[in-house]
């Protein structure tokens, strides 16, 4: 096998990993901070791509289109949050209901199952064609990296505010948070809105990157997001202890995931097996902390000495 084929494909894999890394940060907010398994992301990811591409096709500015995608994702999170808090539906079922409803919404937004956009005719922020042989200020990897860092800084600031701390307290111990006068229902709804806003924003970037929005583009997004979160924690967990760096580790985990996936494809694996490979990767990395504690932790002797 030609190693040059792999080397030439790695920049594209890294760029795609960065794009999905923003989605993974959104998953981290619900999965780790709020302790919620939110399945809305499979639908809101596509919503972000659909809204962004359709607005670009209608002549709107790329930043306005991505802002609209972020807003659409927040609305999807709001629906899930209200189904859970106001109607009392378990959060997993709430996410499934919203995800199913978004299928029809996304079809209505696009008018059909797929909408393509030409990078030569529209002013896109990122594109697969902006990986190589372009000025550095147009390079997709650089632009998405800068956007990711900016989002991490904003999230780091927000979760250090009183409102942000109340969200973290809600996920840590909701009963204690309520005892301190925190509106935990509001915290969950707001957390779901921020999470799905980021997921939709990532979908908007991916739609531009690949040149189209497709009704199936969000399928399995939650698995990829969880894989990025778990890989990031497993690889960088002992190094990155600061909250901001934990968010960064999630984005790096997404890059590692796509680089590994690219290597596997290069090795000639049957592409029909990619889904089961994704599931296996997530299962293994989820099990690593348990294995470390169960089989590799040093026994503690009586008296506290190890």
């Amino acid at each position: 096998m030609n190693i040059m084929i792999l080397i030439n494909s790695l920049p594209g894999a890294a760029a795609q990993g960065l794009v999905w890394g923003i989605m993974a940060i959104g998953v981290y907010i619900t999965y780790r901070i709020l302790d919620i398994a939110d399945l809305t992301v499979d639908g809101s990811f596509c919503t972000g791509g659909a809204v962004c591409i359709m607005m670009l096709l209608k002549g709107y500015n790329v930043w306005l289109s991505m802002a609209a995608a972020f807003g659409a994702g927040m609305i999807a999170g709001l629906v899930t949050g209200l189904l859970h808090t106001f109607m009392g539906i378990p959060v997993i079922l709430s996410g499934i209901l919203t995800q199913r409803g978004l299928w029809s919404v996304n079809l209505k937004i696009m008018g059909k199952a797929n909408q393509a956009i030409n990078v030569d005719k529209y002013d896109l922020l990122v594109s697969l064609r902006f990986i190589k042989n372009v000025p550095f200020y147009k390079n997709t990897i650089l632009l998405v990296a800068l956007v990711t860092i900016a989002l991490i800084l904003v999230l780091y600031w927000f979760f250090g505010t009183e409102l942000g701390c109340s969200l973290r307290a809600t996920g840590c111990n909701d009963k204690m948070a309520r005892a301190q006068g925190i509106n935990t229902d509001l915290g969950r709804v707001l957390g779901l809105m921020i999470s799905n806003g980021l997921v939709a924003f990532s979908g908007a970037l991916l739609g531009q990157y690949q040149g189209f929005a497709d009704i199936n583009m969000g399928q399995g997004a939650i698995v990829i997001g969880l894989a990025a979160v778990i890989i990031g924690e497993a690889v960088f967990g002992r190094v990155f202890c600061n909250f901001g760096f934990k968010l960064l580790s999630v984005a790096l985990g997404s890059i590692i995931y796509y680089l590994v996936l690219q290597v596997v494809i290069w090795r000639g694996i049957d592409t029909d097996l990619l889904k089961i490979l994704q599931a296996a990767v997530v299962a293994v990395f989820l099990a690593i902390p348990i294995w470390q504690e169960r089989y590799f932790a040093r026994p503690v002797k009586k008296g506290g000495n190890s």
Side-chain angles (χ1 to χ4, degrees):
M1 296 182 183
N2 191 346
I3 190 67
M4 291 306 298
I5 296 176
L6 174 63
I7 294 174
N8 289 331
S9 66
L10 291 182
Q16 194 169 0
L18 272 171
V19 170
W20 282 90
I22 296 174
M23 184 277 300
I25 291 174
V27 172
Y28 181 88
I29 291 174
T30 51
Y31 182 64
R32 283 301 188 213
I33 296 179
L34 289 180
D35 195 24
I36 288 175
D38 178 31
L39 300 182
T40 312
V41 298
D42 281 20
S44 59
F45 187 83
C46 178
T47 301
V51 169
C52 181
I53 295 301
M54 293 308 296
M55 289 192 66
L56 286 169
L57 290 173
K58 292 182 182 297
Y60 288 96
N61 174 271
V62 64
W63 290 105
L64 179 61
S65 301
M66 291 195 297
F70 184 87
M74 292 191 74
I75 293 173
L78 174 64
V79 173
T80 299
L82 291 178
L83 287 174
H84 174 53
T85 58
F86 181 71
M87 299 184 67
I89 301 172
V91 68
I92 292 181
L93 292 179
S94 298
I96 293 173
L97 291 173
T98 306
Q99 176 198 130
R100 298 304 297 172
L102 285 174
W103 177 276
S104 298
V105 172
N106 296 336
L107 278 176
K108 281 296 183 181
I109 291 172
M110 294 189 290
K112 56 182 181 180
N114 184 291
Q115 284 285 0
I117 190 165
N118 192 326
V119 65
D120 295 323
K121 296 181 179 179
Y122 295 89
D123 187 21
L124 306 183
L125 180 66
V126 297
S127 172
L128 179 60
R129 288 168 55 180
F130 296 164
I131 298 293
K132 299 176 181 178
N133 304 318
V134 294
F136 77 95
Y137 58 85
K138 291 189 67 175
N139 186 278
T140 292
I141 296 177
L142 174 64
L143 289 174
V144 180
L146 291 175
V147 170
T148 302
I149 292 172
L151 288 173
I152 289 174
L153 290 174
V154 171
L155 289 171
Y156 181 77
W157 166 81
F158 171 76
F159 281 102
T161 64
E162 183 177 350
L163 180 58
C165 288
S166 70
L167 263 69
R168 297 168 73 174
T170 297
C172 184
N173 190 324
D174 62 337
K175 293 181 179 179
M176 181 62 71
R178 283 197 300 271
Q180 298 298 318
I182 296 173
N183 188 333
T184 55
D185 285 346
L186 175 62
R188 288 194 183 91
V189 172
L190 183 58
L192 286 164
M193 291 176 67
I194 295 172
S195 169
N196 283 281
L198 291 170
V199 170
F201 187 83
S202 176
L205 286 172
L206 183 65
Q208 295 176 65
Y209 177 79
Q210 64 189 12
F212 64 90
D214 184 85
I215 192 65
N216 293 314
M217 67 185 289
Q219 195 173 62
I222 184 65
V223 176
I224 298 174
L226 288 174
V229 171
I230 301 304
I231 292 172
E233 290 180 339
V235 175
F236 303 103
R238 294 181 180 274
V239 181
F240 294 164
C241 299
N242 178 274
F243 178 72
F245 283 112
K246 286 183 179 180
L247 296 178
L248 178 61
S249 73
V250 173
L252 295 176
S254 178
I255 296 174
I256 294 172
Y257 174 80
Y258 270 94
L259 290 176
V260 170
L261 206 60
Q262 192 62 49
V263 172
V264 171
I265 293 173
W266 171 72
R267 293 293 298 174
I269 189 175
D270 185 353
T271 54
D272 292 340
L273 300 177
L274 283 180
K275 295 295 184 183
I276 194 170
L277 174 65
Q278 292 174 346
V281 168
V282 175
V284 168
F285 276 95
L286 280 171
I288 284 176
I290 304 299
W291 291 343
Q292 288 177 335
E293 181 180 343
R294 185 176 298 172
Y295 303 114
F296 301 105
R298 295 175 63 185
V300 178
K301 298 179 181 179
K302 292 183 178 181
N305 297 320
S306 57

